[in-house]
Amino acid sequence: MSSAAGDAENPPKEEFNIIQEGQAKVGFHGPVFYNPVQEFNRDLTVTVLRQFSDDHQKWHQEQAAKSASGEGEEPPKKKNKLAINEDGKIRILDALSASGLRALRFSKEVPNVGFIMANDFSDNAVASIQENVKLNEVEDLVEAHFGDAVMTMMEHRGIDKRFHAVDLDPYGTASTFLDSAVQCVADRGILMVTCTDMAVLCGNTPEACYNKYDAVTTRMKCCHEVGLRILLRAIDSAANRYTRYIEPLVSISVDFYVRVFVRVHTGAFQAKQSGTKVGTVLVCSGCHAMEPIPMLKRGENNQENKYSLPTIRHSLTGPDNLCVHCNNRLHQIGPIYLAPIHSKPFVTSLLERLKSTPEAERLGTHGRLQGVLTMVSEELEEVLYYEHDQMANTVKVSVPKAQSVRSAILHAGFKVSGSHCNPRAIKTNAPMQLLWDIYRQVAKDTSVDREKRLSKESAGYHILGQPITNTINFSLHPGAIEQAKKENLVRFQCNRGKNWGPRQKAKGSVNSTKAGFQLTNVEEHKK
């Protein structure tokens, strides 16, 4: 037998690569679709789910105790393996599972898990998930499921079929999955959403943002936090249609994506309050000053059930509807979520969990998790951030130290913090007049001549032409140094490396906005 004939009868086997992340292993035939930069995303999700599982277990035990004493509500009767409140264990849906890595890590690393559905609309992906489930020996917990994500979630919108946790990690926007997602999450369950279409969320294409998220924005320094708030408002709006509402637990903008974790509640009374939590923002095109405008205001005392349109008094608007600070045009962005985007008690619980984890059991990105969550725990909740060096550049002065700016704000009696979104961020409840007084004081101390350094049409020229109305004290304030910086924690990742950025979309993947319109014989996979 010739060598050629022998090769034809025994073709070379396709290369099989195994990668381990956390306690899970995933195998790939041929090219590996794996992005190590996303390990932080998955580690954060595991950490959040561990805390959520513990909280759910405690809540279930409390409800069982109340039920035994006749105080609690009678749980629904068990109908199938997805019935709610059957044994206190949580059920998880990984709606866009691909290789199944997330589902596998959940099964190995999250306690009190009763069932995980790893769903995908690709034959290759489902076959890969099945193979990886056997590789990790978790057949009793993880089920590979073939189906369009939207249809799968709609099939589980019944109260007895809902999931306690739903994970959406699409390639691009998650907007098309939100309506079905908020319906298939159990009451007090958690919805975890990733979006990687940062160009849209950050204002590069406002028309695309409107189509996807029913909001518009513009390019601004705090665009990443605005992107988070646009996504949160979209989720809350989808939930409101079903008398449900969200409680943001953690909202993160890192690397090339945004990631939010929200608890979903049911209640018509509370859902009506959502109108007071969203609004638009006036943004100056010259000095980037901002002013939030809520959609609704709630009555006080005996009028708490009454809602009305707020009386608008724009402190940012001057003559001819121009910015009062720099005489430039104003834009209106939104609607966005104006309420807090994190739950400080939940974040504190995550930090305590990380600090108490033995070194041998720590996740791969433990240090960065601790640093980012520490930054989150210190953030002011209901204000957007400015960039202190961008403000200095507006008036053409040398950039002062961030600690000096923070100290001046604290000495004036206002609050200030940084932001996990931007290492140069200044978040404060101080009025814009005080912030510009700080930079006018810097210009005065450094003898900046606005006539020589700035054109008369520029925003900085108008700002420096106004008098200083506040006493500015740059001496170091004890609260000006961030805790994460004191502890030398990893706060911001360097965005360089061969694996940086989102990977190319997996070949054969049909998890997209057109997935539900594909002609695929789904019935064959149900047999």
Side-chain angles (χ1 to χ4, degrees), residues 34-50:
Y34 171 76
N35 191 350
V37 174
Q38 283 282 56
E39 182 181 3
F40 174 78
N41 185 324
R42 292 183 284 267
D43 283 354
L44 177 62
T45 304
V46 167
T47 304
V48 169
L49 276 178
R50 285 173 174 174

Side-chain angles (χ1 to χ4, degrees), residues 22 24 32 47 69 84 111 178 209 252 282 296 326 332 372 376 389 421 443 468 525:
V32 175
T47 304
S69 63
I84 299 301
L178 298 181
C209 189
I252 302 291
L282 282 180
L296 292 176
C326 70
Q332 191 170 25
V372 170
V376 166
D389 56 345
C421 298
I468 299 173
H525 294 266

Side-chain angles (χ1 to χ4, degrees), residues 353-498:
R353 173 178 293 275
L354 290 172
K355 291 176 182 177
S356 62
T357 303
E359 188 170 351
E361 300 176 13
R362 290 178 178 177
L363 299 172
T365 60
H366 175 90
R368 190 183 180 198
L369 283 171
Q370 196 170 348
V372 170
L373 290 175
T374 299
M375 288 290 295
V376 166
S377 69
E378 296 177 338
E379 283 186 14
L380 293 183
E381 296 182 326
E382 298 182 21
V383 292
L384 295 169
Y385 65 84
Y386 297 95
E387 267 193 11
H388 74 90
D389 56 345
Q390 179 265 330
M391 296 186 73
N393 183 62
T394 299
V395 292
K396 302 303 180 188
V397 299
S398 56
V399 180
K401 290 183 178 179
Q403 289 181 12
S404 299
V405 176
R406 292 163 64 94
S407 294
I409 294 171
L410 291 168
H411 283 304
F414 296 97
K415 298 178 181 179
V416 66
S417 76
S419 170
H420 77 277
C421 298
N422 190 320
R424 299 177 295 279
I426 293 287
K427 299 191 78 171
T428 179
N429 62 344
M432 203 66 205
Q433 180 68 26
L434 173 65
L435 295 184
W436 284 128
D437 275 354
I438 291 173
Y439 292 92
R440 279 189 278 262
Q441 186 65 52
V442 173
K444 181 180 178 181
D445 293 345
T446 55
S447 302
V448 170
D449 187 346
R450 69 171 184 147
E451 299 293 341
K452 294 181 179 179
R453 189 167 292 190
L454 295 156
S455 67
K456 293 183 178 181
E457 294 77 22
S458 67
Y461 184 88
H462 290 277
I463 292 170
L464 291 185
Q466 299 177 33
I468 299 173
T469 57
N470 294 279
T471 302
I472 306 301
N473 180 3
F474 287 118
S475 62
L476 184 62
H477 189 282
I481 304 176
E482 299 161 337
Q483 189 64 31
K485 193 170 184 178
K486 289 180 182 178
E487 298 179 16
N488 284 327
L489 298 176
V490 179
R491 297 175 297 159
F492 303 99
Q493 183 82 344
C494 176
N495 62 343
R496 294 179 178 85
K498 63 180 181 180

Side-chain angles (χ1 to χ4, degrees), residues 98-354:
S99 66
L101 177 55
R102 286 174 181 269
L104 295 169
R105 289 198 59 183
F106 298 160
S107 68
K108 306 279 279 187
E109 302 175 37
V110 179
N112 302 316
V113 172
F115 174 71
I116 302 172
M117 179 180 286
N119 178 77
D120 206 280
F121 202 44
S122 163
D123 293 301
N124 294 335
V126 173
S128 176
I129 294 169
Q130 292 171 337
E131 191 171 27
N132 287 323
V133 167
K134 293 179 181 178
L135 180 65
N136 288 270
E137 301 178 345
V138 288
E139 295 94 333
D140 58 326
L141 286 180
V142 182
E143 175 187 304
H145 182 268
F146 176 87
D148 168 35
V150 172
M151 294 300 296
T152 299
M153 289 187 284
M154 291 301 290
E155 290 169 357
H156 292 84
R157 67 192 295 267
I159 292 178
D160 62 326
K161 295 182 179 180
R162 292 175 179 173
F163 297 94
H164 295 105
V166 175
D167 195 339
L168 294 175
D169 186 34
Y171 186 92
T173 181
S175 61
T176 51
F177 306 106
L178 298 181
D179 185 80
S180 51
V182 297
Q183 297 182 67
C184 76
V185 180
D187 196 31
R188 299 188 77 258
I190 189 170
L191 177 59
M192 307 170 287
V193 183
T194 300
C195 289
T196 62
D197 57 333
M198 295 306 294
V200 174
L201 287 168
C202 290
N204 283 9
T205 51
E207 70 282 3
C209 189
Y210 178 78
N211 287 341
K212 293 180 179 180
Y213 300 98
D214 199 25
V216 294
T217 185
T218 186
R219 284 177 286 188
M220 49 201 298
K221 295 300 180 180
C222 62
C223 61
H224 292 92
E225 183 176 339
V226 169
L228 279 172
R229 293 179 180 274
I230 287 174
L231 176 57
L232 287 172
R233 181 259 168 189
I235 299 172
D236 194 44
S237 178
N240 292 161
R241 300 184 186 105
Y242 308 98
T243 65
R244 312 192 83 182
Y245 62 98
I246 67 168
E247 174 196 356
L249 300 177
V250 186
S251 305
I252 302 291
S253 174
V254 293
D255 303 338
F256 48 84
Y257 60 88
V258 290
R259 177 76 164 164
V260 299
F261 302 84
V262 302
R263 195 187 294 275
V264 180
H265 299 276
T266 303
F269 178 76
Q270 294 87 345
K272 290 178 180 178
Q273 298 176 22
S274 289
T276 65
K277 300 175 184 177
V278 301
T280 57
V281 180
L282 282 180
V283 182
C284 175
S285 60
C287 66
H288 302 281
M290 295 175 288
E291 180 183 357
I293 307 169
M295 286 284 190
L296 292 176
K297 72 173 183 178
R298 189 181 179 190
E300 299 177 355
N301 301 325
N302 296 328
Q303 301 293 320
E304 290 185 352
N305 293 337
K306 302 292 184 181
Y307 296 86
S308 61
L309 299 178
T311 303
I312 304 298
R313 296 184 180 89
H314 293 159
S315 60
L316 191 57
T317 305
D320 301 322
N321 289 324
L322 299 177
C323 176
V324 68
H325 301 290
C326 70
N327 206 37
N328 274 262
R329 291 179 300 171
L330 300 174
H331 299 300
Q332 191 170 25
I333 67 168
I336 68 172
Y337 197 79
L338 295 177
I341 63 175
H342 314 291
S343 167
K344 291 302 177 68
F346 189 82
V347 174
T348 299
S349 298
L350 295 180
L351 284 169
E352 290 174 352
R353 173 178 293 275
L354 290 172

